[in-house]
Amino acid sequence: MIIHITKDNFSAEVIESGDTVLLDFWAPWCGPCRMMSAILDEVTEEMPSAKIGKINVDEESELASQFGIMSIPTFVLFKDGKPAQKFVGGRDKEDIIALFD
């Protein structure tokens, strides 16, 4: 499932959820972000239980600053409410799916 994350729902959807959550820091004008969006859609089709949050850096600059986002797309994987992994740039579908194993 893909969720639009804002500063208002961040705590409930990511920190307190207890789920593994992949956050996608993106912007609508970013070409590589749009490519990754299609891949993330495929991941959620194949793995409906995968929780992916999209954070628009133009609208949620506070969250982007909080996680030191300098370029996009940047992904932050949360496990048990804590950041476990961070990577910048595109990945293929298999790499994204492996994050949820």
Side-chain angles (χ1 to χ4, degrees):
M1 106 180 78
I2 295 181
I3 301 164
H4 180 71
I5 300 291
T6 67
K7 65 181 182 201
D8 297 327
N9 69 356
F10 176 80
S11 186
E13 293 290 353
V14 180
I15 305 292
E16 298 165 10
S17 75
D19 297 323
T20 297
V21 182
L22 179 64
L23 295 181
D24 172 17
F25 290 86
W26 72 288
W29 46 264
C30 166
C33 298
R34 288 194 304 268
M35 276 186 354
M36 284 306 301
S37 185
I39 290 171
L40 297 176
D41 288 342
E42 289 178 27
V43 169
T44 59
E45 281 179 29
E46 290 182 28
M47 296 182 65
S49 63
K51 188 171 184 179
I52 298 172
K54 294 184 68 70
I55 300 175
N56 182 328
V57 297
D58 291 337
E59 296 172 355
E60 298 295 331
S61 57
E62 279 182 46
L63 285 174
S65 291
Q66 182 179 341
F67 291 99
I69 305 304
M70 302 301 268
S71 56
I72 52 175
T74 294
F75 298 88
V76 180
L77 183 70
F78 277 76
K79 290 189 176 188
D80 299 319
K82 296 181 175 66
Q85 191 175 351
K86 180 178 179 179
F87 56 92
V88 178
R91 295 289 189 275
D92 62 29
K93 181 172 64 173
E94 290 73 24
D95 290 343
I96 300 295
I97 288 172
L99 295 170
F100 291 95
D101 288 341

